[in-house]
Amino acid sequence: MKPKLINSIEEMSVIRKQLKGKIGFVPTMGFLHEGHLSLVKEAKKKTDVVIVSIFVNPTQFSANEDLSTYPRNIERDIELLTNLEVDYIFFPTNEQMYPDDFKTWVNVDKITQVLCGKSRPTHFRGVTTIVAKLINIIDPDLIFMGEKDFQQLVVLKQMIKDLNFRTDIVGCSIVREKDGLALSSRNKYLSSSGRKKALCLNKSLLLAQKLYNEGLTSSNEIISQMTNLIENNECIIDYIEVFDPKTLEHIPELVGGCRIALAVIVENTRLIDNIKIV
Amino acid sequence: MKPKLINSIEEMSVIRKQLKGKIGFVPTMGFLHEGHLSLVKEAKKKTDVVIVSIFVNPTQFSANEDLSTYPRNIERDIELLTNLEVDYIFFPTNEQMYPDDFKTWVNVDKITQVLCGKSRPTHFRGVTTIVAKLINIIDPDLIFMGEKDFQQLVVLKQMIKDLNFRTDIVGCSIVREKDGLALSSRNKYLSSSGRKKALCLNKSLLLAQKLYNEGLTSSNEIISQMTNLIENNECIIDYIEVFDPKTLEHIPELVGGCRIALAVIVENTRLIDNIKIV
């Protein structure tokens, strides 16, 4: 059966009140790929009713970013979600989500200032604000999000805990192409040679794990070798960071369970990826 | 029957899930007076289950304010709420509400920068954050708040609308002593001569209404006459403002439905009051 399409907050709220059982929610910006679909599949397994939102959230883009060109294909998204037997697709308008007199923001301190927050200083404020709104509209028992945006996951878990939202986030593993490239809607921007260069993100993370397996633990030394690998592929590093997965604080020596994340500009496209060191 | 006392967020959440009917919520900082009790009475009329919170919220006080001396009397509060047949009293600890790793804030722009926001720049951030938390914990259908803190009412309504919280605020009229002084827990700080001087707040607001009735509409002229009245009572004006009740923006000419609010320092105590011009 085709999912019910809902494009008004009002209608979503009315429908939500009538829903019974455990509600699973997958927030997306559309242009769905297997990464998103893995979240939907996980939601189908763990909850009774699955709601997917499609909303390209303007407040998480800064003025110099790719809001206007961000890829969209709502028809294809609906088809993919129909195949997975999603129950509801919520795709509100900008005007409804951010009316002219909108003036409320949710801010998480500290952990939004590091990693991606350094080069995208207002990004997480947009993410936390839209997710707070979506939580209130959809009232989900569980929210399913990918670990590719690892910092986003940590920031949103902090928000949910601090503001006592009655929901929880399930983090799901990164989905990759066969050659290792992490799926991202932004991969679409890459030329075929850029597509090959972009493999350096995952390769450098695998190199870090290999170096750690061989006994190297110095974060600086490992980051240095990752840097060489990436720069040899003509890509520009925004950051590479070794950190504690709970606090997102830099750690000088790798330990099992720590994370390494990076943002790299390939052609004109900023891509991110990360790995849990085991 | 005595209200059930709840001092843990966890317990409050568990109990809330079992409650049926319309839930009314009165958030307070304790040291209850007839103003608070009027909110409880209104809640009893309009809802099926009434929950009162008592929590002196540290984040809405700045370092130079009266957090440590803010009056408290939990036993008396419980007695007063028992008399009114309140169902639940929620009084969480600071440590639960703001654990060491707390880092999330709700900010409302613009309307928190005017009026009381000018001299209390972090006050409303504390108010919006604690109320967002309490809404999530208590999940009320209606929240009852007094119009004495008129700006607070407007700010919280904006937050609820912007973040799509599934609740609404009922604003209740200011309760005054027979001589016109608006009830406030902070009136306790006044000496008997300060108590008399403090009447100038309400008197100056009544003067404004009288001048408007007589045909005067210039905000500047009316504020000037209010200023004289207050300064003649040896009180220090923080602000007097004539504004639109929705936007809180200054208006140069009084019109029916506009508000006048003021903050005045009497002895060492900052008091507020306001009036709707009719």
Side-chain angles (χ1 to χ4, degrees), chain B residues 39 145-151 153 171-174 259 274:
Chain B
L39 303 176
M145 303 191 91
E147 287 189 342
K148 183 166 77 71
D149 300 276
F150 187 79
Q151 185 176 12
L153 209 62
C172 302
S173 304
I174 298 174
R259 285 255 166 189
N274 71 82

Side-chain angles (χ1 to χ4, degrees), chain A residues 103, chain B residues 108-125 127-128 145-159 169 174 238-239 241 243-249 259-263 270 272-275:
Chain A
K103 40 177 87 72
Chain B
V108 176
D109 283 348
K110 288 184 184 166
I111 55 174
T112 55
Q113 309 303 312
V114 297
L115 304 170
C116 287
K118 279 190 186 167
S119 57
R120 308 185 77 190
T122 60
H123 171 67
F124 287 109
R125 185 186 81 155
V127 171
T128 44
M145 303 191 91
E147 287 189 342
K148 183 166 77 71
D149 300 276
F150 187 79
Q151 185 176 12
Q152 171 174 282
L153 209 62
V154 173
V155 167
L156 289 171
K157 280 183 180 174
Q158 183 79 39
M159 175 188 81
I169 297 188
I174 298 174
D238 177 10
Y239 70 84
E241 189 57 274
F243 58 93
D244 179 293
K246 283 194 177 145
T247 63
L248 303 187
E249 278 170 14
R259 285 255 166 189
I260 305 182
L262 77 178
R270 186 177 175 283
I272 59 174
D273 202 347
N274 71 82
I275 194 171

Side-chain angles (χ1 to χ4, degrees), chain A residues 250-266:
Chain A
H250 171 76
I251 52 178
E253 300 280 331
L254 271 70
V255 288
C258 79
R259 286 255 166 189
I260 305 182
L262 76 180
V264 170
I265 292 124
V266 184

Side-chain angles (χ1 to χ4, degrees), chain B residues 21-241:
Chain B
K22 212 167 188 176
I23 311 299
F25 173 44
V26 183
T28 82
M29 301 214 298
F31 206 72
L32 305 178
H33 52 60
E34 284 296 329
H36 299 107
L37 301 183
S38 76
L39 303 176
V40 173
K41 287 172 196 163
E42 195 64 19
K44 289 288 290 183
K45 263 189 231 164
K46 293 215 162 94
T47 62
D48 304 309
V49 179
V50 175
I51 304 174
V52 176
S53 68
I54 297 177
F55 180 64
V56 182
N57 176 34
T59 64
Q60 69 191 70
F61 293 80
S62 68
N64 61 342
E65 291 180 352
D66 58 341
L67 173 61
S68 63
T69 57
Y70 194 85
R72 291 158 167 90
N73 190 341
I74 184 80
E75 286 75 20
R76 187 164 163 279
D77 291 344
I78 293 172
E79 198 183 310
L80 291 168
L81 296 174
T82 303
N83 294 342
L84 292 183
E85 300 181 344
V86 159
D87 300 287
Y88 297 94
I89 301 175
F90 178 53
F91 57 111
T93 61
N94 275 350
E95 291 68 28
Q96 277 187 81
M97 291 305 259
Y98 297 109
D100 283 343
D101 70 339
F102 187 89
K103 39 177 87 71
T104 305
W105 301 98
V106 179
N107 279 290
V108 176
D109 283 348
K110 288 184 184 166
I111 55 174
T112 55
Q113 309 303 312
V114 297
L115 304 170
C116 287
K118 279 190 186 167
S119 57
R120 308 185 77 190
T122 60
H123 171 67
F124 287 109
R125 185 186 81 155
V127 171
T128 44
T129 301
I130 193 68
V131 173
K133 287 170 65 67
L134 289 168
I135 290 174
N136 282 339
I137 295 167
I138 288 171
D139 191 15
D141 293 288
L142 291 174
I143 303 172
F144 296 83
M145 303 191 91
E147 287 189 342
K148 183 166 77 71
D149 300 276
F150 187 79
Q151 185 176 12
Q152 171 174 282
L153 209 62
V154 173
V155 167
L156 289 171
K157 280 183 180 174
Q158 183 79 39
M159 175 188 81
I160 286 171
K161 175 172 171 286
D162 285 350
L163 295 186
N164 308 97
F165 280 105
R166 301 176 300 279
T167 189
D168 208 354
I169 297 188
V170 179
C172 302
S173 304
I174 298 174
V175 178
R176 299 179 182 281
E177 304 277 9
K178 277 184 187 157
D179 60 9
L181 181 67
L183 294 193
S184 164
S185 302
R186 288 191 172 99
N187 291 346
K188 181 187 153 64
Y189 296 143
L190 301 171
S191 72
S192 66
S193 74
R195 174 69 185 69
K196 279 172 203 153
K197 290 175 188 169
L199 294 176
C200 71
L201 280 87
N202 183 45
K203 279 184 186 159
S204 70
L205 293 168
L206 295 176
L207 170 64
Q209 179 68 63
K210 177 170 165 284
L211 293 170
Y212 178 72
N213 292 347
E214 290 167 4
L216 191 63
T217 59
S218 157
S219 295
N220 284 345
E221 179 59 33
I222 286 171
I223 290 172
S224 162
Q225 294 203 36
M226 293 173 72
T227 301
N228 288 341
L229 190 157
I230 292 166
E231 292 184 344
N232 287 340
N233 280 277
E234 298 168 352
C235 295
I236 299 165
I237 294 166
D238 177 10
Y239 70 84
I240 305 176
E241 189 57 274

Side-chain angles (χ1 to χ4, degrees), chain A residues 15-125:
Chain A
I15 287 178
R16 174 61 185 93
K17 274 184 198 151
Q18 297 156 358
L19 295 179
K20 298 225 158 46
K22 212 167 186 175
I23 311 300
F25 173 44
V26 183
T28 83
M29 301 214 298
F31 206 72
L32 304 179
H33 52 61
E34 285 295 329
H36 299 107
L37 301 183
S38 76
L39 303 176
V40 173
K41 287 172 197 164
E42 195 63 20
K44 290 288 291 183
K45 264 189 232 165
K46 293 215 163 96
T47 60
D48 304 310
V49 179
V50 174
I51 304 175
V52 176
S53 68
I54 296 178
F55 181 64
V56 181
N57 176 35
T59 64
Q60 68 191 68
F61 293 79
S62 67
N64 62 343
E65 290 181 350
D66 59 339
L67 173 61
S68 62
T69 57
Y70 195 85
R72 291 159 166 89
N73 190 340
I74 185 81
E75 286 75 19
R76 188 165 163 278
D77 291 344
I78 293 172
E79 199 183 309
L80 291 168
L81 296 174
T82 303
N83 295 343
L84 292 184
E85 302 181 342
V86 158
D87 300 287
Y88 297 93
I89 301 175
F90 178 53
F91 57 111
T93 61
N94 275 350
E95 291 67 28
Q96 277 188 79
M97 292 304 260
Y98 297 108
D100 283 344
D101 69 339
F102 187 90
K103 40 177 87 72
T104 305
W105 301 97
V106 179
N107 279 290
V108 177
D109 283 348
K110 288 186 185 166
I111 55 174
T112 56
Q113 308 304 312
V114 296
L115 304 171
C116 287
K118 278 190 187 168
S119 57
R120 308 186 77 190
T122 60
H123 171 68
F124 288 108
R125 186 187 80 155

Side-chain angles (χ1 to χ4, degrees), chain A residues 150-257:
Chain A
F150 187 80
Q151 185 176 9
Q152 171 174 282
L153 209 62
V154 173
V155 167
L156 289 171
K157 281 184 181 174
Q158 183 78 39
M159 175 188 81
I160 287 170
K161 176 173 170 284
D162 284 349
L163 295 186
N164 308 97
F165 281 105
R166 300 176 300 279
T167 188
D168 208 354
I169 298 188
V170 180
C172 301
S173 304
I174 298 174
V175 178
R176 299 178 182 280
E177 304 277 9
K178 277 184 187 157
D179 60 9
L181 182 68
L183 295 192
S184 164
S185 303
R186 289 190 171 100
N187 291 346
K188 181 188 153 68
Y189 297 142
L190 301 171
S191 74
S192 66
S193 74
R195 174 68 184 69
K196 280 172 204 153
K197 289 176 189 169
L199 294 177
C200 72
L201 280 86
N202 182 45
K203 278 185 187 161
S204 71
L205 293 168
L206 295 176
L207 171 64
Q209 178 68 62
K210 178 170 164 284
L211 293 170
Y212 178 71
N213 292 347
E214 291 168 4
L216 191 63
T217 59
S218 157
S219 296
N220 284 346
E221 180 57 34
I222 286 171
I223 289 171
S224 163
Q225 294 204 36
M226 294 173 71
T227 302
N228 289 340
L229 189 156
I230 292 166
E231 291 184 344
N232 286 339
N233 280 276
E234 297 168 351
C235 296
I236 299 165
I237 294 166
D238 177 9
Y239 71 82
I240 305 176
E241 189 58 272
V242 180
F243 59 92
D244 178 295
K246 285 195 177 145
T247 63
L248 303 187
E249 279 170 14
H250 171 76
I251 52 178
E253 300 280 331
L254 271 70
V255 288

